[in-house]
Amino acid sequence: VTEPREWRPLTYRKCTDVLWLLLFFIFWAGLMFIAGYAVVAGAAERLVLGYDSFGNICGRKNSPVKGAPLSGQDMTSKKYVFFLNSCNLEMQNLEFSSVSLCVSSCPQEQLSSLEDLQVFARINGSSLCVYNLNVSSYTQNPKASELCPTLPVPPSKSFPLFNRCIPQNPECYSKFASALVSMVKEMDALHRILAGILAGRDTVIGLSVLSLALSFILVLTFTFIHTLLVHTLIALVVFGLLFVSGVLWWLYYDYRNDPSTELETEKENIKFLLGYAVFSTIVAVVLLSLILVLRKRLQFTVQLFHVVNKMISRIPFLLFQPLWSFLILIVFWVFWVAVLLSLGTAGTTQITSGGQVEYRAASGIHYMAWYHFVALIWTSEFILACQQMTIAGAVVSCYFNRNKNSPPRHPVLSSISVLFCYHLGTVVKGSFLITILRIPRIFLLYLYNFLKQKENAYAKCLFKSCCGWFCCLERCLRYFNQHAYTTTAINGTDFCTSAKDAVFILAKKSAKMASIICFGGFILFLGKVFVVCFTVFGGLMAFNYHRELQAWVVPLLLVGFFAYMISHSFLSVFEVTMDALFLCFAIDMETNDGSAEKPYFMDQELLTFVTQSNKLTEERKHRSMKPLQENEDGTELQSMV
């Protein structure tokens, strides 16, 4: 027979889930091997800076390639890639059919003849013909038409990120941009995202900073929350939902009735606007209905955040925890992207009959890319799980402290030290389970996008059902993971034992606190909606004044996604603190009775709040059952006359 759980923070602990930590180290050793191989065999600067058809990387000195006489040139002053046939680019074996050169400047005016090319080269010092053709020979060499660009040369500007000369003619631009990203199999959305973000990159960065500022304001709001602020937040959310929905419908009708809408991408923008308008209207109706139904619990929400803020006031450094996690994630994502770029350019060189250089991908790159992709998900989830474990450990150390006037010293640092010394394996295991559920979802989405052209309604319904099932399962697992981390912080047990103990406690006590936690989570969700609404509204106004951008609706969706992720990372402090606090409360109620022998660890404010909330819930349940009982007991059978 197993002994009953003590449920007290342990002073002396042992390492948990060591084998999982060893597995994570082995996995990262494999990732480091891939990174080393990518750095040695790849050339990320070739992708970022651009390269010509003769093996020269633009903007730097180059080493000669054996068999390519035009390689090994000094391109320090020639930073831009120019295609000789930019209006008719095609892909052949993942290579552009047009010859590309490194030039010092892109032609900003149309060049209609060889004489114009000659004048441009002499004035700007930038030859637009193959390197071995002298400028003075442009009009005399009989092969000049083959060694120079196709006439007329459209005006072009340098690409903001990858230093390519982009034609400004709408028709040429559309073909060029489509060919530029056609190496990814039929990903037309990538073309729209790339074109829109790079054309309006300053606006996207500004909107991301706006969402960061709004999230920080919300953190301060929830820290000093009271009844007026709750009503103000709800009013702002209602106003934001209605206003954004109205603006989306107005833009839809405005674009639809615009006679200048001719390009295919502009017509696709109209379809996206209609979808956004319908989606935002549905979300607005659902949230407004929930607000109307739950409006009578606002006072308990204020008390709930007072209790949570009282705990955070004892650990003020908890508010900075999302910032450190966010910075660590940014560093890892930058590393991941750098390795991905190097991995994508790893391969061998081949010389063609014309002295041009082609790059062939090395064998096994696809398997390395999948391994690298799994590393992105697992490591990101591991970092977020470490944040949850740190917050939970700090809350636990303060809750199970008898002297509330003298909280533990440096609870956040103590929680981090306990995590790294004893429980990293537990966090690795929890994050791995989330990764296992996310990979099938992503694979199903990939299959759905690959097979959506088949127009099989049954297959589409099946894929959507499977994705929805995995999404619900992932959310449930995240909820239990959080409570398992809190239990590990208390008892020092491994992941499976902690999850089992947490489920046992929640099964007995969760009914009394479910409505409290759910409504608190709903208010935090409204805070995230507030950030997204006003960020998207700012994006609508900014992008609408730049209608010359061919595709801006998809980047607007990404801006909304970034705004939600930023707000979620900051407001997650309140969510994790709330869940950990009420799990500690349930444990306190289970193991203590308030007597002198077994006094509660909770303070009087928390006990009063939970008691009042449960009393209100019982009264409402009793009132809802009373009419039914009166109808059953008060009905009397009468004899028929």
Side-chain angles (χ1 to χ4, degrees):
V1 180
T2 59
E3 297 181 358
R5 186 70 63 195
E6 184 68 21
W7 289 106
R8 295 292 183 273
L10 297 179
T11 303
Y12 301 100
R13 296 172 178 262
K14 64 178 181 178
C15 295
T16 56
D17 298 300
V18 179
L19 292 179
W20 282 93
L21 182 59
L22 180 62
L23 176 64
F24 191 64
F25 284 151
I26 295 174
F27 180 84
W28 256 83
L31 182 62
M32 290 296 99
F33 171 79
I34 292 177
Y37 172 80
V39 171
V40 173
E45 59 181 359
R46 188 173 74 229
L47 182 62
V48 175
L49 298 178
Y51 60 97
D52 63 12
S53 299
F54 307 100
N56 299 299
I57 298 177
C58 301
R60 53 159 284 185
K61 293 183 178 180
N62 296 274
S63 301
V65 179
K66 186 177 181 180
L70 296 181
S71 63
Q73 300 191 33
D74 185 0
M75 297 295 180
T76 306
S77 61
K78 299 179 179 181
K79 301 180 180 180
Y80 306 104
V81 180
F82 176 77
F83 294 93
L84 298 190
N85 192 7
S86 59
C87 287
N88 193 24
L89 285 181
E90 294 181 357
M91 293 297 301
Q92 296 178 358
N93 297 324
L94 297 181
E95 293 287 343
F96 288 118
S97 59
S98 173
V99 175
S100 59
L101 304 173
C102 294
V103 297
S104 57
S105 63
C106 302
Q108 298 184 2
E109 297 180 355
Q110 179 171 303
L111 305 177
S112 303
S113 63
L114 293 175
E115 289 78 5
D116 293 341
L117 292 175
Q118 197 173 50
V119 172
F120 177 81
R122 289 172 177 172
I123 294 177
N124 297 278
S126 181
S127 175
L128 301 182
C129 298
V130 177
Y131 307 130
N132 56 1
L133 181 63
N134 294 326
V135 176
S136 59
S137 304
Y138 282 7
T139 58
Q140 301 173 1
N141 195 314
K143 295 185 178 181
S145 59
E146 301 176 5
L147 302 177
C148 293
T150 303
L151 299 174
V153 179
S156 60
K157 292 183 179 180
S158 62
F159 204 50
L161 185 61
F162 294 119
N163 298 330
R164 270 69 171 180
C165 292
I166 305 296
Q168 296 303 294
N169 181 287
E171 183 179 357
C172 291
Y173 168 78
S174 179
K175 294 180 180 179
F176 182 92
S178 298
L180 188 63
V181 296
S182 61
M183 285 182 284
V184 184
K185 297 179 180 179
E186 298 181 2
M187 291 183 64
D188 296 331
L190 182 61
H191 163 225
R192 296 191 291 270
I193 294 170
L194 192 62
I197 287 182
L198 291 174
R201 64 191 185 283
D202 295 334
T203 305
V204 172
I205 294 174
L207 292 173
S208 300
V209 173
L210 174 63
S211 64
L212 185 66
L214 290 175
S215 301
F216 185 72
I217 292 173
L218 270 184
V219 169
L220 295 179
T221 300
F222 284 120
T223 303
F224 304 102
I225 198 166
H226 52 79
T227 306
L228 179 61
L229 286 177
V230 172
H231 286 284
T232 303
L233 174 63
I234 292 178
L236 288 174
V237 170
V238 171
F239 171 77
L241 288 170
L242 296 178
F243 193 72
V244 170
S245 299
V247 169
L248 284 170
W249 283 111
W250 171 73
L251 286 176
Y252 167 69
Y253 283 108
D254 186 38
Y255 273 76
R256 186 180 180 183
N257 298 324
D258 190 353
S260 63
T261 302
E262 297 179 356
L263 294 177
E264 188 64 28
T265 51
E266 293 179 340
K267 295 179 181 179
E268 292 180 358
N269 282 346
I270 296 177
K271 296 179 182 179
F272 275 115
L273 278 174
L274 177 61
Y276 289 170
V278 173
F279 178 76
S280 64
T281 304
I282 294 174
V283 171
V285 171
V286 172
L287 289 182
L288 290 177
S289 302
L290 289 174
I291 291 172
L292 183 65
V293 171
L294 300 174
R295 68 188 187 280
K296 294 183 179 180
R297 300 188 66 90
L298 290 181
Q299 187 58 39
F300 280 98
T301 303
V302 176
Q303 297 179 14
L304 170 64
F305 281 102
H306 280 164
V307 172
V308 174
N309 287 327
K310 187 174 182 180
M311 176 60 70
I312 293 179
S313 65
R314 298 172 183 167
I315 323 170
F317 282 101
L318 281 184
L319 296 176
F320 296 95
Q321 188 62 33
L323 182 61
W324 312 132
S325 301
F326 189 73
L327 291 177
I328 294 173
L329 280 173
I330 290 295
V331 171
F332 169 69
W333 289 341
V334 170
F335 162 78
W336 187 86
V337 170
V339 173
L340 182 66
L341 292 176
S342 299
L343 195 63
T345 56
T348 58
T349 59
Q350 293 185 356
I351 311 301
T352 64
S353 57
Q356 298 181 13
V357 178
E358 293 183 355
Y359 297 94
R360 302 298 181 188
S363 60
I365 290 295
H366 295 293
Y367 300 105
M368 293 184 181
W370 276 107
Y371 191 98
H372 195 55
F373 180 71
V374 173
L376 171 67
I377 301 177
W378 193 1
T379 306
S380 299
E381 292 294 336
F382 170 76
I383 295 172
L384 294 176
C386 286
Q387 172 183 317
Q388 295 175 352
M389 187 81 166
T390 300
I391 297 175
V395 171
V396 164
S397 63
C398 286
Y399 185 93
F400 291 100
N401 177 43
R402 291 294 184 188
N403 189 358
K404 302 300 181 183
N405 296 323
S406 179
R409 298 183 61 185
H410 311 299
V412 175
L413 293 178
S414 299
S415 179
I416 293 175
S417 64
V418 169
L419 168 64
F420 278 88
C421 292
Y422 302 104
H423 303 311
L424 274 180
T426 299
V427 174
V428 167
K429 188 174 183 179
S431 58
F432 178 78
L433 294 177
I434 297 294
T435 305
I436 289 298
L437 288 180
R438 293 196 68 181
I439 291 177
R441 281 182 60 198
I442 297 172
F443 183 71
L444 286 173
L445 289 175
Y446 171 78
L447 286 180
Y448 176 77
N449 291 327
F450 181 75
L451 299 174
K452 66 180 180 181
Q453 303 295 336
K454 305 296 182 180
E455 297 185 356
N456 190 326
Y458 177 77
K460 290 181 180 180
C461 181
L462 180 62
F463 277 121
K464 290 182 179 179
S465 301
C466 292
C467 289
W469 184 80
F470 275 110
C471 181
C472 295
L473 191 60
E474 179 185 332
R475 289 181 179 274
C476 293
L477 184 59
R478 286 184 184 277
Y479 176 77
F480 286 109
N481 274 9
Q482 173 56 50
H483 290 299
Y485 298 149
T486 306
T487 306
T488 298
I490 299 174
N491 295 326
T493 51
D494 59 79
F495 180 85
C496 292
T497 304
S498 299
K500 180 187 67 175
D501 293 340
V503 169
F504 174 77
I505 290 294
L506 292 173
K508 297 181 65 175
K509 301 294 182 180
S510 62
K512 296 182 179 180
M513 299 176 296
S515 61
I516 305 173
I517 299 176
C518 288
F519 192 69
F522 178 69
I523 292 297
L524 290 173
F525 177 72
L526 288 183
K528 300 172 189 177
V529 172
F530 163 78
V531 174
V532 174
C533 281
F534 282 89
T535 304
V536 170
F537 171 71
L540 286 172
M541 294 296 99
F543 284 118
N544 187 50
Y545 283 108
H546 294 83
R547 292 197 178 190
E548 68 274 8
L549 300 178
Q550 290 191 23
W552 52 263
V553 181
V554 174
L556 187 63
L557 177 63
L558 290 181
V559 166
F561 174 75
F562 290 152
Y564 180 81
M565 292 302 296
I566 291 173
S567 61
H568 174 73
S569 64
F570 276 85
L571 295 180
S572 62
V573 173
F574 295 93
E575 292 180 325
V576 177
T577 302
M578 189 185 306
D579 290 338
L581 182 62
F582 281 97
L583 179 62
C584 292
F585 173 83
I587 294 169
D588 201 4
M589 294 290 292
E590 176 70 16
T591 57
N592 299 309
D593 54 11
S595 62
E597 293 78 13
K598 292 185 176 181
Y600 290 129
F601 283 94
M602 73 189 78
D603 54 18
Q604 188 62 35
E605 183 179 359
L606 177 59
L607 180 60
T608 303
F609 166 70
V610 176
T611 303
Q612 291 179 352
S613 179
N614 290 334
K615 183 178 179 181
L616 178 62
T617 303
E618 292 295 333
E619 290 178 354
R620 289 181 176 177
K621 183 178 179 181
H622 179 72
R623 285 197 301 267
S624 63
M625 295 294 294
K626 189 174 181 180
L628 180 61
Q629 294 176 354
E630 290 179 353
N631 185 50
E632 292 177 351
D633 299 335
T635 302
E636 185 175 325
L637 294 176
Q638 303 291 336
S639 59
M640 296 181 61
V641 179

